[in-house]
Amino acid sequence: MPVGVNYKWTDRGISPTITANTLERCKMRLEDKVAIITGGANGMGAEEARMFAREGATVVVADMRDEDGEAVVTQIAESGGTGVYVHTDVTSESDWQRLVDQTVSQFGKLNILVNNAGISSTAYADPMDIDGWTHIMDVNATGVFLGTRAAIPAMKEAGGGSIVNISSIMGFVGGEGGHPAYHASKGAVRIFTKAIAVKYGPDGIRANSVHPGFMPPMTTATPQRSQRDEHIRLTPLRRTGEVHEVANGVLFLASDEASFITATELVIDGGFISR
């Protein structure tokens, strides 16, 4: 019989009674938490936002795709959750400060930051394009730095927090396709996360990175069918991942279930980098 459930005989047979301990375990995983999720208007970020809200978090969706971002917040509200959308350019220091200030002013605190916004490796056709290098590094790496820097004072004030940075398997390995700035930026996120975890661990702030494998194309990607087939062939599970599979990992790291986990890398790639 399940732990935390008592049973008694009645004239209708066995009747289960839920105990207080069971009710405690049924508590939503992010109850009373306030989270900022960048790149939350589409794809992986949108799934994270909806999942966080279902688990009790107040979610601030930050993005530059206003219509899509507002749609995600509407979905959250229709499901009984709480969320707001804030137009945010993650490469802008002032936008970041405004985002954090608005979050704390409106909801009283900041507990979780998910640095999810990013640009695909195929956003630029020329792999040696200098503008591509600058743009990808600005969004994928500098944006993570700026967000972390803006969030840390608010997390200290809240007594701690969790930062989850979305890197990639390409932060571990090289690749023939796409702009090399993508690999460089995701590698930077991977090591930056460890540095933040060590530096701010004494303040109760955890920092971890998530490394998705091949997923549905990002909004900035220019995918090719032949590349997708090759990605599947190289992945031991013989398929691409789904955004909810990554969101589940992000949820775990953001929650108190991961309270003794920091400076680590969660690889969600169907086994790709183990080859």
Side-chain angles (χ1 to χ4, degrees):
M1 293 183 178
V3 175
V5 181
N6 294 330
Y7 294 85
K8 64 179 180 179
W9 286 98
T10 70
D11 56 359
R12 296 184 179 181
I14 298 176
S15 175
T17 302
I18 306 288
T19 67
N21 287 339
T22 300
L23 289 174
E24 178 64 22
R25 287 196 293 273
C26 291
K27 181 179 178 181
M28 288 186 287
R29 298 165 74 185
L30 297 181
E31 190 171 327
D32 298 326
K33 304 290 188 183
V34 178
I36 291 174
I37 301 176
T38 67
N42 297 99
M44 196 181 302
E47 183 63 21
E48 291 159 3
R50 291 186 290 262
M51 188 176 290
F52 275 34
R54 286 197 300 270
E55 291 293 341
T58 296
V59 181
V60 180
V61 176
D63 208 301
M64 296 179 67
R65 298 174 180 267
D66 298 342
E67 186 174 342
D68 292 341
E70 293 288 1
V72 172
V73 169
T74 298
Q75 292 168 359
I76 289 173
E78 289 174 346
S79 298
T82 302
V84 296
Y85 172 75
V86 179
H87 180 95
T88 306
D89 175 358
V90 297
T91 68
S92 166
E93 294 182 55
S94 59
D95 274 19
W96 266 114
Q97 196 57 57
R98 176 175 53 83
L99 172 63
V100 172
D101 288 347
Q102 180 176 332
T103 298
V104 174
S105 175
Q106 188 167 352
F107 301 114
K109 59 182 178 178
L110 174 62
N111 306 109
I112 300 165
L113 170 64
V114 180
N115 281 307
N116 179 85
I119 297 178
S120 169
S121 66
T122 59
Y124 289 83
D126 180 0
M128 290 292 112
D129 183 272
I130 186 63
D131 291 334
W133 172 274
T134 301
H135 190 201
I136 291 172
M137 292 298 289
D138 281 350
V139 174
N140 292 5
T142 305
V144 171
F145 166 75
L146 293 175
T148 302
R149 186 178 69 170
I152 282 173
M155 288 187 173
K156 285 183 176 181
E157 186 68 23
S162 175
I163 299 171
V164 184
N165 294 326
I166 307 301
S167 180
S168 167
I169 54 172
M170 296 307 167
F172 289 96
V173 299
E176 296 177 357
H179 201 295
Y182 186 80
H183 299 261
S185 66
K186 294 303 185 179
V189 168
R190 175 187 169 205
I191 300 302
F192 172 73
T193 302
K194 292 182 180 296
I196 291 300
V198 172
K199 186 173 181 64
Y200 294 102
D203 297 299
I205 297 173
R206 298 184 295 107
N208 295 286
S209 56
V210 173
H211 301 260
F214 297 113
M215 294 282 155
M218 299 168 64
T219 55
T220 55
T222 54
Q224 297 179 4
R225 175 70 193 201
S226 60
Q227 289 180 332
R228 180 179 180 277
D229 292 343
E230 180 65 5
H231 294 163
I232 291 174
R233 187 187 71 80
L234 293 172
T235 301
L237 290 183
R238 294 297 188 269
R239 65 176 177 87
T240 57
E242 299 293 339
V243 291
H244 75 270
E245 294 173 308
V246 177
N248 277 321
V250 175
L251 171 63
F252 168 67
L253 291 174
S255 77
D256 291 339
E257 296 167 14
S259 58
F260 200 56
I261 299 175
T262 195
T264 197
E265 301 144 343
L266 178 57
V267 179
I268 307 174
D269 71 341
F272 175 82
I273 65 169
S274 296
R275 296 181 64 88

